[in-house]
Amino acid sequence: MTRSEFDDIRAHIDAEADRPGDLLRVARSLLSDLEDARMREAMLRTEHLRLLTAARATAAAEAAGRANPLSYITEELARQGQLPATEVEVDQILLDVRTATTLLTQLEQAPAPVTTGGGPRVRRCAGTSRTLPR
């Protein structure tokens, strides 16, 4: 959920504080959203761990002089449906890598943003513009 969605929910709760049924529905909805987010995070962590393990196995196989050391990473990419199948996909991936590398280099060279810090947090959303199911 975005910050403004949380602000909308807070505003709704403040406006409807005397209606416990609405608050219960909001709480159930938030719990459901949190469970979904935790499940997505667990799946992403699992995929990351599998890719990291495959990358490490590839590097170790290459260091050990094994035949076809890339098999570990290509099998994992294929399992996740991320292995490029056509020349067009290969070209697009290589272009994306060059672009990402350029952007990351520029980001690392950019000066750190100036923060004022210490002041009160300004709320961006102050109204009940979003309606919740009743």
Side-chain angles (χ1 to χ4, degrees), residues 69-117:
L70 288 176
S71 64
Y72 298 101
I73 197 75
T74 54
E75 287 173 13
E76 183 57 29
L77 289 172
R79 190 192 72 72
Q80 292 188 20
Q82 297 294 319
L83 200 59
T86 66
E87 190 174 327
V88 172
E89 289 177 349
V90 169
D91 292 341
Q92 185 61 52
I93 290 169
L94 294 174
L95 180 61
D96 290 347
V97 168
R98 282 193 299 271
T99 302
T101 303
T102 302
L103 290 173
L104 286 172
T105 301
Q106 289 177 358
L107 228 158
E108 290 169 351
Q109 294 173 354
V114 177
T115 59
T116 57

Side-chain angles (χ1 to χ4, degrees), residues 22-32:
D22 284 348
L23 296 179
L24 189 57
R25 276 193 291 281
V26 168
R28 285 188 178 131
S29 174
L30 289 174
L31 283 175
S32 177

